[in-house]
Amino acid sequence: MQLTSIGRALTACAVAMCCALMPFAASAQNMLPPQQAAALRMSAIGAKKRAADKPFAFRGIPLGITLDEFRAVSRVRATPLGSVPVCETDNVAGSLGMRLKTSQSLTIACQWAHRVADGWEVSRAVVDGAPADEHVLRFVRVDGQSGFRLYEISFVIDEITADDLRDAFEDRYGAPRTATQVSSPTAGQLPVYIWENDVSSITLCLLPATHNATLIYLLKDPDAYMKSVVRQWQASSPDAG
């Protein structure tokens, strides 16, 4: 927790420095010719819109990527070393307690796993530097496409990691939308924090009774998002127009 306090102090210093420099930046922009100043403003607006249109990512794994991209070794975010993605379409999925599905299924789930002496074992995803209790990545076949696309990443994490993530997300994405969810009379109300952009969301749900939390990255409308990606690709193609 001391490191977290140091991180917050550094963030506060960085914000203070930015605030101190803002008047100088505004003054410099006012000194520019009107056309250049307008171009700078439009560029800033465009950058903000692109960020809003871009799906959230977990440690460099963005929602919306293909299953083939996810299977790349460089995208493994789990321990121990040597972990690999195992999906419900793989023969070894059954040994991990996963359902077996065909490549023609509408949705499939994947986990990171590693070999052990007597077969395979589920690995532990690393979230904010700490091993998660559980994890799953879900892919969906988008209408009109043959491949699968990542639409959900879910974790069960400990409450300390959840607290750190809540602060980190607030620093990165701003104040969350908060809500309470009643799971049962015994569990009571569960605090829920939601960060959203135009195409995706991050939901952090605290579970006080078990001292852990769920963390979910979700693509809001996989079909609509993928179609927009295809349209952008077609528009940028040399043969377009």
Side-chain angles (χ1 to χ4, degrees), residues 132-149:
D133 294 331
E134 300 176 27
H135 74 277
V136 64
L137 299 95
R138 301 185 188 279
F139 293 76
V140 64
R141 185 188 304 282
V142 178
D143 184 32
Q145 296 187 29
S146 59
F148 291 95
R149 294 276 183 169

Side-chain angles (χ1 to χ4, degrees), residues 22-41:
M22 280 176 63
F24 296 99
S27 176
Q29 192 178 84
N30 290 336
M31 294 172 62
L32 292 174
Q35 288 183 336
Q36 284 185 270
L40 282 175
R41 287 194 295 270

Side-chain angles (χ1 to χ4, degrees), residues 103-123:
S103 58
Q104 302 305 312
S105 300
L106 178 61
T107 64
I108 62 169
C110 300
Q111 292 180 301
W112 286 298
H114 59 279
R115 288 184 179 274
V116 292
D118 56 348
W120 287 82
E121 190 173 286
V122 176
S123 301

Side-chain angles (χ1 to χ4, degrees), residues 43-129:
S43 177
I45 293 172
K48 185 175 181 180
K49 186 177 188 305
R50 285 193 297 274
D53 291 341
K54 189 176 181 181
F56 287 124
F58 166 70
R59 296 186 57 196
I61 303 177
L63 293 166
I65 63 170
T66 65
L67 180 58
D68 289 340
E69 289 172 325
F70 167 68
R71 285 185 181 276
V73 176
S74 61
R75 293 188 182 274
V76 172
R77 304 291 185 265
T79 186
L81 290 175
S83 297
V84 296
V86 174
C87 302
E88 291 175 326
T89 50
D90 298 330
N91 292 332
V92 300
S95 64
L96 296 172
M98 302 169 69
R99 292 184 297 175
L100 290 175
K101 292 187 176 182
T102 70
S103 58
Q104 302 305 312
S105 300
L106 178 61
T107 64
I108 62 169
C110 300
Q111 292 180 301
W112 286 298
H114 59 279
R115 288 184 179 274
V116 292
D118 56 348
W120 287 82
E121 190 173 286
V122 176
S123 301
R124 300 186 70 180
V126 178
V127 180
D128 194 36

